[in-house]
Amino acid sequence: MREENLSLRAKYNITAMFYDILDYPWERIYREWRPKILGDLRGKVLEAGVGTGRNFQHYHKSVELTGVDLSDVMLRKATKKAKKADCKVELLHDDASVMRLVDSNQYDWIISTFLCCVMPDEFQPMALEQFSRVLKPGGKFRLLEMIYSNNKEIRRRQDFFTSFVEKVYGARFDRKTVQYIEESSELNITSKRFLKDDVYLLIEGVKE
Ligand SMILES: C[S@@+](CC[C@H](N)C(=O)[O-])C[C@H]1O[C@@H](n2cnc3c(N)ncnc32)[C@H](O)[C@@H]1O
């Protein structure tokens, strides 16, 4: 684990205690999206930043899932949800920008939901390099992130929540994830679309 990520891990080890309750108002919206963005996946899937495992129940039973997270306390919560999942789940305590525990060229899919808005910009190219390393040639990725809106009213609401989301989740609306993927040598974006307003961005792509 990167030393610089120890404070983020410490943050999530505390946030984990009340994450599902605190995030409930947003989760009411997200839980409609999760089956739509996960239900068609097959094969070996690596989910980076699994958190408390909210995605697990939406994977098809044939999926072989590896879940990675920085926070051991979030992973403890995820372990409980893993037991209720239809698919096989293996959980690893690892940093997505290092992936010390993950072998190369073995995944059909990389998934993350609300990881990159949490991950500091300086680590994102490294995480993308790891995504690329562990994906099979032709493997795909699907990332759901939130970004700043161009709509004044929405932006005003985001500004209101900015310090809260950064303090509690380490999340920011101004991460440059799309730019880093475009700069990566092996990952290509095939589609970008918003799930709600111009805020919740679903980025899909492939490893060449
Ligand atoms: C906002 S939560 C999202 C959790 C989950 N994906 C969801 O949709 O509810 C972000 C998660 O990413 C994890 N995380 C942050 N940086 C990470 C990193 N470098 N490697 C692995 N996990 C990381 C945090 O510990 C946290 O569990």
Side-chain angles (χ1 to χ4, degrees):
M1 186 163 307
R2 293 181 193 287
E3 200 142 305
E4 303 89 324
N5 262 336
L6 292 177
S7 64
L8 189 60
R9 181 179 73 175
K11 189 188 288 288
Y12 268 94
N13 278 354
I14 295 167
T15 301
M17 320 274 190
F18 45 91
Y19 182 84
D20 282 338
I21 295 167
L22 194 70
D23 214 41
Y24 182 72
W26 288 283
E27 185 59 25
R28 285 176 63 190
I29 305 169
Y30 305 159
R31 72 183 173 202
E32 298 198 1
W33 302 340
R34 295 187 193 273
K36 291 180 191 143
I37 62 178
L38 302 166
D40 64 327
L41 308 185
R42 297 292 183 271
K44 287 192 76 172
V45 178
L46 185 135
E47 183 181 333
V50 289
T52 59
R54 287 178 181 172
N55 286 331
F56 295 169
Q57 63 179 300
H58 304 296
Y59 289 103
H60 188 266
K61 59 179 188 312
S62 65
V63 162
E64 283 177 55
L65 181 69
T66 302
V68 170
D69 205 284
L70 199 63
S71 156
D72 38 314
V73 186
M74 291 296 263
L75 279 176
R76 229 179 287 147
K77 305 252 172 199
T79 305
K80 289 189 188 152
K81 292 205 180 72
K83 286 183 185 138
K84 294 183 190 154
D86 291 333
C87 66
K88 206 171 116 197
V89 185
E90 176 196 31
L91 294 175
L92 302 176
H93 185 209
D94 205 347
D95 181 336
S97 65
V98 179
M99 300 248 214
R100 190 175 56 86
L101 304 173
V102 186
D103 290 339
S104 305
N105 294 316
Q106 56 160 330
Y107 288 95
D108 299 290
W109 281 94
I110 298 272
I111 293 294
S112 76
T113 54
F114 309 114
L115 168 69
C116 296
C117 51
V118 165
M119 188 181 287
D121 274 308
E122 65 263 38
F123 301 143
Q124 297 214 11
M126 299 164 195
L128 292 170
E129 226 170 83
Q130 292 306 316
F131 289 1
S132 174
R133 178 180 69 78
V134 304
L135 275 173
K136 292 174 183 170
K140 294 177 182 167
F141 62 91
R142 196 174 275 172
L143 317 178
L144 176 60
E145 295 306 330
M146 52 181 195
I147 59 171
Y148 270 128
S149 171
N150 291 318
N151 175 293
K152 276 191 188 152
E153 182 53 36
I154 298 172
R155 177 65 191 247
R156 201 137 40 87
R157 258 183 280 142
Q158 288 180 314
D159 286 340
F160 178 78
F161 281 111
T162 295
S163 61
F164 170 80
V165 294
E166 183 150 20
K167 199 163 185 180
V168 177
Y169 301 104
R172 296 177 59 102
F173 298 103
D174 62 355
R175 305 283 188 210
K176 301 186 185 73
T177 308
V178 169
Q179 180 193 317
Y180 296 132
I181 301 172
E182 284 169 350
E183 287 168 3
S184 84
S185 55
E186 287 187 316
L187 300 179
N188 287 321
I189 295 176
T190 52
S191 138
K192 279 186 290 174
R193 67 187 167 96
F194 289 108
L195 300 190
K196 184 167 184 274
D197 303 320
D198 57 345
V199 173
Y200 292 99
L201 182 62
L202 188 69
I203 310 159
E204 298 184 83
V206 65
K207 172 183 169 180
E208 287 298 301

